[in-house]
Amino acid sequence: METRAPFVVVGAFVLAAIAAVFGFVYWLHNTGGLGPRATYHLQFDGSVPGLMVGAAVLFNGIRVGEVIDLGLAPDNPRRVNAAISVAATTPVRSDTKVGLEFQGLTGVPVIALEGGAQLANAGTVPTLIAEPGAGQGMTQAAREALRRVDSVLAENSEPLKDTIANFKIFSEGLARNTGKLDGIVAGLERLTGGGTPAAPKTAYDLRAAQGFAAPTKVLKGQLAIPEPTAVVMLETQRFLFSPAKEISGFAEATWADTIPKLLQARLIESFENYDIAHAPLRAADIGQNDFQLLIDVRRFRIALDSDPVVDIALSARILDKEGRVVASRLFEERERLDKVEPAAAASAFSDAFGRLAKNMVAWTVQTL
């Protein structure tokens, strides 16, 4: 019995020493140091999930103390009262902001103090009131945000349905006009110098009337042919169709000039082929003229109603120098097309125009 006593005493001493060391470390960790302390009272309006006695107190992110007391407010069960012990040098003011932060992956709650602009000698610091929602955790905040989003969606369900329906109509319109949109984008690329360069277009010309017999009668006076008038649709270099449609192969085909200017040039050339010495000139090339041959383009197209034909119609009026109408006539010609392609169409237009121009030259010479 006497030999066992020293071992019991030694064991008890070792256990007491270990407990003292752990106690000292725990006390040092929770108090944050050995210096003087100051106690402040806090109040939270709402829950403080996970906050416990001993939780850290941070000031501007630096640990300055710990929570020493927690309890429900007796006058209002929704409120939570807390007491904290911090280093006496911590600049806590009456306007210091109080909040609850969650640190680490596990979300350990700590009390966070921040700022304060009041003077140091402003008096005893009253109970610090935490900001509204300071004790709200991330999960609770997410639930509250989702609840508000759900409320907004419920209140605006009809406008949202209308917006979605409009998007559907818009997307269907885009799907129906994909080809046109591709064409617009391609045109913009060519306009800005980007994209693949457009393939060069093939220009086609009209043949003037030829094969006139020796003139037995010449034009009297100076005749001028101004540029023919036409509706906007005819002020183009494209091949026109009736009914209007896009025909394969004609996208890369154009006339050598706009239709009115091309007709003016080939009509003057036709008169020159009849009698170059007395041929008319453009109105801009002469000062005073004796007569004018005014042309209005009625039709210059490919008709696709039954058998494809080239259809040309020109209205002609001869005016004297006083502007009086001397004579007027409508000239029409048609030429059947064996194949609807640019080269065949240009040849048919030339044949029809040649006959029309011969008739117009003969009528003009006979009138004057």
Side-chain angles (χ1 to χ4, degrees):
M1 191 70 181
E2 294 178 356
T3 57
R4 294 183 181 177
F7 294 105
V8 173
V9 174
V10 171
F13 177 78
V14 171
L15 291 176
I18 293 174
V21 170
F22 275 103
F24 177 76
V25 171
Y26 177 78
W27 172 80
L28 190 63
H29 172 73
N30 286 327
T31 60
L34 301 175
R37 314 291 290 174
T39 302
Y40 299 97
H41 295 280
L42 314 178
Q43 190 175 81
F44 293 87
D45 190 6
S47 63
V48 286
L51 186 64
M52 298 182 297
V53 174
V57 177
L58 308 181
F59 193 96
N60 289 347
I62 301 174
R63 182 186 175 105
V64 293
E66 69 284 336
V67 178
I68 58 175
D69 186 38
L70 274 176
L72 297 174
D75 57 337
N76 190 342
R78 288 183 54 84
R79 294 178 179 172
V80 176
N81 293 332
I84 60 173
S85 175
V86 299
T89 56
T90 305
V92 178
R93 305 287 185 261
S94 59
D95 59 344
T96 296
K97 295 181 180 180
V98 179
L100 198 64
E101 293 184 357
F102 298 86
Q103 296 186 327
L105 296 176
T106 57
V108 176
V110 298
I111 291 178
L113 305 178
E114 182 180 348
Q118 297 291 334
L119 297 176
N121 58 357
T124 304
V125 177
T127 299
L128 299 176
I129 307 300
E131 295 181 342
Q136 193 176 51
M138 289 182 291
T139 304
Q140 187 177 357
R143 287 200 193 99
E144 184 65 24
L146 290 175
R147 189 179 299 112
R148 291 179 182 176
V149 170
D150 183 64
S151 175
V152 171
L153 291 177
E155 293 174 358
N156 297 275
S157 59
E158 289 302 322
L160 285 174
K161 288 180 182 178
D162 294 340
T163 302
I164 293 172
N166 291 336
F167 272 120
K168 181 180 179 182
I169 295 172
F170 179 71
S171 62
E172 290 175 351
L174 288 179
R176 288 194 304 269
N177 295 278
T178 301
K180 293 181 180 179
L181 291 174
D182 291 341
I184 292 173
V185 173
L188 290 174
E189 287 182 346
R190 291 194 295 271
L191 184 64
T192 57
T196 305
K201 294 187 176 183
T202 304
Y204 293 89
D205 202 352
L206 277 177
R207 292 193 305 271
Q210 299 175 351
F212 290 96
T216 57
K217 189 177 181 181
V218 298
L219 288 172
K220 296 179 180 179
Q222 182 60 59
L223 177 65
I225 301 181
E227 181 179 329
T229 58
V231 296
V232 174
M233 182 180 67
L234 293 167
E235 296 277 355
T236 180
Q237 291 181 255
R238 299 178 59 193
F239 284 76
L240 300 177
F241 296 88
S242 177
K245 60 173 63 177
E246 296 291 337
I247 303 296
S248 175
F250 283 86
E252 288 76 33
T254 65
W255 290 112
D257 206 337
T258 58
I259 293 172
K261 290 183 178 179
L262 186 61
L263 289 172
Q264 179 192 30
R266 297 300 165 257
L267 279 174
I268 292 175
E269 185 179 348
S270 298
F271 275 95
E272 290 174 347
N273 290 339
Y274 172 76
D275 182 8
I276 192 170
H278 302 87
L281 299 174
R282 289 178 172 83
D285 295 339
I286 56 177
Q288 184 66 32
N289 53 71
D290 299 310
F291 298 96
Q292 288 190 87
L293 178 59
L294 304 184
I295 306 296
D296 183 64
V297 185
R298 300 292 180 83
R299 298 188 301 276
F300 197 85
R301 66 192 182 187
I302 300 174
L304 302 172
D305 295 329
S306 54
D307 292 335
V309 295
V310 163
D311 183 19
I312 304 176
L314 303 180
S315 172
R317 290 181 298 166
I318 299 176
L319 275 63
D320 62 14
K321 63 175 61 180
E322 282 78 26
R324 292 189 296 265
V325 177
V326 177
S328 61
R329 180 177 168 181
L330 179 64
F331 293 88
E332 298 178 287
E333 286 292 340
R334 294 166 73 90
E335 180 73 19
R336 185 174 179 275
L337 269 178
D338 295 329
K339 188 183 297 184
V340 183
E341 62 178 15
S347 178
F349 270 108
S350 292
D351 293 341
F353 175 77
R355 296 194 299 270
L356 185 148
K358 275 189 175 182
N359 293 334
M360 188 176 293
V361 170
W363 171 74
T364 304
V365 171
Q366 186 66 32
T367 301
L368 300 181

